[in-house]
Amino acid sequence: MTSEAQILALINVPNFNASLKSIAEKVLHQVRISTDDALVLFKEGEIGFLGALANYIRESKYGNQTFFNRNFHIEPTNVCVFNCTFCSYSRLYKNKEAGWELSIDQMMHIVKKYDHIPVTEVHIVGGVHPKMDLDFFCELLRQIKLHRPNLHLKGFTAVELDYMFRKAKLTRQEGMLKLKEAGLQSLPGGGAEIFNPEIRKQICEDKVDGAGWLDIHKTAHQLGMHSNATMLYGHIEKYEDRIDHMNQLRTMQDETKGFNCFIPLKFRNMDNDMSHLPEVSLIEDIKTYAVARIFLDNFAHLKAYWPMLGRNNAQLMLSYGVDDLDGTIDDSTKIYSMAGSEEQVPSMTTDELCDLIRDVNRMPVERDTVYNIIKEYN
Ligand code: V47
Ligand code: SF4
């Protein structure tokens, strides 16, 4: 049965929920759904129905193609001036607890380890260390570009950037231009969390606010750079907050068209100041991914970040709107293993990642950072 026929079969049974039926009809006619519709989906849609809609959208865009890239991460430091309550990763700068701080030479050593490996991207993200300033990172970017000009440099959350620019006493545009001139090409999506100021006050009070996060991404888009967007879900936020967050992203994407993909990040509760909160269920994960795919009609891609979600659940999301499984990163990110993800050593070879995709009858496609196709693995 085609995914369209599957939806029609679901909604044409007698007494089917009228609100859900009207949302399904919007999806089939490519009409944007409203924030009220999204709330109905969260509250009344069961996962078979949500999956049918999300999968219809995903297959209309890409059929069975499922994207991944070959990348590695550099985490310059886990020392951080901020104190987000959900974070298991940072070591507070003021407490002088043991953390790591890599020099430029040490980071170049990591880059050189990949000299004979066909990676296309390096993802640079870490804590906010007061001594690692704009000039330090410009120098790092220049050295990487000099060493390997074709490696795409994706780096720095809006939180790191906001702090860097303020310290350098530069406007966001001036600061971003400096990084771009040094070689930065894209921004990752971190630091967005949940935009609602009431929630933000409780989980990450002192770092850049939602408006600032959006403005930094807009600045990058206006300079011709692309970026990703994330949402940290499954802690103290309500469905309304998730929808408001996605709505602000959708509105900005209408304007700039600069976001490549949306990445829902499930709150993991190990070893942080919110450990008392239970993690949400797999059903909640499925709902969140599916509603994101249906609501964010102007986002080309929906990514399940497997080091955080776990590879089996990420694979499952390929039936709920996801078309991208991020990269084949080896053991170069610590942020999720420290937060309690089942992926304690997040490493997957290209063959393993392709098998994961093929196992659910999808076709693995290697892409670069901006989704140019590098190779289809039939
Ligand atoms: O902003 C921190 C999240 C983000 C926890 O753009 C946590 O391609 C869950 O944004 N439980 C940083 N999440 C990572 C990030 C990212 C990752 C992979 C790919 C891309 C991309 C971006 O990690 C933070 C925060 O939202 N985070 N602690 C936790 N306990
Ligand atoms: Fe620092 Fe980022 Fe952790 Fe917040 S989430 S404490 S900004 S490393």
Side-chain angles (χ1 to χ4, degrees):
M1 203 190 296
T2 64
S3 43
E4 180 173 356
Q6 206 183 349
I7 295 172
L8 292 172
L10 281 169
I11 63 177
N12 285 327
V13 297
N15 300 326
F16 188 79
N17 179 313
S19 309
L20 293 177
K21 183 170 180 175
S22 110
I23 295 170
E25 280 162 351
K26 285 186 185 175
V27 170
L28 290 173
H29 294 106
Q30 275 115 50
V31 174
R32 175 171 279 190
I33 70 162
S34 67
T35 52
D36 287 346
D37 291 335
L39 192 59
V40 170
L41 290 177
F42 268 124
K43 290 192 166 163
E44 296 174 34
E46 52 80 38
I47 60 166
F49 173 75
L50 297 176
L53 295 189
N55 194 44
Y56 169 75
I57 296 168
R58 181 248 199 263
E59 290 189 354
S60 309
K61 285 179 185 292
Y62 311 111
N64 279 327
Q65 288 182 314
T66 299
F67 302 97
F68 69 93
N69 72 347
R70 293 206 201 188
N71 65 0
F72 65 99
H73 286 223
I74 296 180
E75 298 183 355
T77 181
N78 68 339
V79 173
C80 191
V81 295
F82 297 120
N83 191 16
C84 305
T85 53
F86 55 80
C87 182
S88 320
Y89 168 83
S90 73
R91 294 293 171 263
L92 268 183
Y93 184 64
K94 58 178 185 275
N95 288 357
K96 302 247 179 302
E97 288 176 55
W100 71 82
E101 304 175 18
L102 302 183
S103 65
I104 291 184
D105 282 351
Q106 285 171 315
M107 290 189 265
M108 286 308 297
H109 183 71
I110 299 176
V111 173
K112 287 173 188 166
K113 276 201 324 200
Y114 292 86
D115 273 355
H116 303 291
I117 303 176
V119 288
T120 58
E121 171 192 286
V122 55
H123 177 144
I124 308 169
V125 70
V128 178
H129 192 305
K131 293 197 183 127
M132 292 182 170
D133 61 9
L134 185 62
D135 288 338
F136 174 86
F137 284 118
C138 283
E139 182 55 25
L140 171 68
L141 296 170
R142 273 193 291 272
Q143 288 201 24
I144 302 176
K145 268 287 169 206
L146 202 61
H147 181 72
R148 195 162 170 177
N150 291 334
L151 196 62
H152 185 108
L153 304 188
K154 177 173 102 182
F156 314 119
T157 64
V159 177
E160 295 166 272
L161 295 171
D162 177 63
Y163 187 86
M164 248 186 249
F165 299 162
R166 282 192 289 118
K167 253 203 131 181
K169 298 197 170 22
L170 293 179
T171 64
R172 287 169 177 162
Q173 205 195 15
E174 290 163 344
M176 196 74 74
L177 201 54
K178 266 192 116 175
L179 288 167
K180 188 181 177 202
E181 282 166 1
L184 188 68
Q185 288 159 284
S186 313
L187 311 187
E193 324 312 357
I194 284 281
F195 293 144
N196 178 348
E198 288 307 310
I199 304 292
R200 236 177 152 76
K201 200 153 64 180
Q202 296 174 63
I203 64 170
C204 54
E205 186 172 20
D206 43 3
K207 72 186 187 186
V208 68
D209 63 10
W213 189 97
L214 286 162
D215 188 55
I216 286 171
H217 281 254
K218 188 173 182 174
T219 305
H221 297 172
Q222 285 166 342
L223 291 175
M225 299 158 81
H226 284 262
S227 71
N228 294 335
T230 58
M231 174 177 75
L232 182 72
Y233 71 91
H235 42 92
I236 55 166
E237 88 294 356
K238 298 199 173 84
Y239 287 144
E240 284 84 349
D241 300 316
R242 292 184 206 171
I243 296 166
D244 166 69
H245 186 93
M246 291 192 286
N247 195 35
Q248 294 200 47
L249 291 171
R250 190 171 77 170
T251 303
M252 200 178 108
Q253 178 74 331
D254 278 342
E255 198 185 325
T256 67
K257 304 183 174 45
F259 289 117
N260 281 332
C261 80
F262 181 63
I263 315 162
L265 295 170
K266 174 189 185 137
F267 165 66
R268 308 303 307 244
N269 69 2
M270 195 174 90
D271 207 13
N272 56 47
D273 292 343
M274 299 209 298
S275 292
H276 57 285
L277 294 178
E279 291 180 0
V280 295
S281 67
L282 180 57
I283 299 290
E284 272 309 308
D285 297 331
I286 289 175
K287 277 190 175 181
T288 307
Y289 277 82
V291 175
R293 181 58 288 170
I294 300 163
F295 186 79
L296 292 172
D297 59 342
N298 55 4
F299 273 66
H301 300 279
L302 180 67
K303 183 194 282 190
Y305 186 54
W306 63 265
M308 176 269 286
L309 206 52
R311 64 192 72 191
N312 295 332
N313 290 348
Q315 182 189 43
L316 181 68
M317 295 308 160
L318 295 179
S319 302
Y320 294 89
V322 165
D323 62 275
D324 188 340
L325 287 187
D326 198 77
T328 54
I329 60 162
D330 65 6
D331 181 20
S332 56
T333 177
K334 302 212 168 34
I335 191 161
Y336 288 107
S337 50
M338 290 172 83
S341 166
E342 36 287 269
E343 298 290 346
Q344 285 297 304
V345 185
S347 152
M348 223 188 315
T349 63
T350 304
D351 282 349
E352 285 170 331
L353 189 65
C354 288
D355 283 346
L356 199 76
I357 295 168
R358 285 197 197 96
D359 278 353
V360 287
N361 300 317
R362 302 287 196 196
M363 181 176 63
V365 178
E366 185 187 346
R367 60 158 176 94
D368 65 13
T369 310
V370 292
Y371 291 85
N372 294 309
I373 292 181
I374 294 178
K375 184 175 171 188
E376 295 193 334
Y377 289 72
N378 289 312

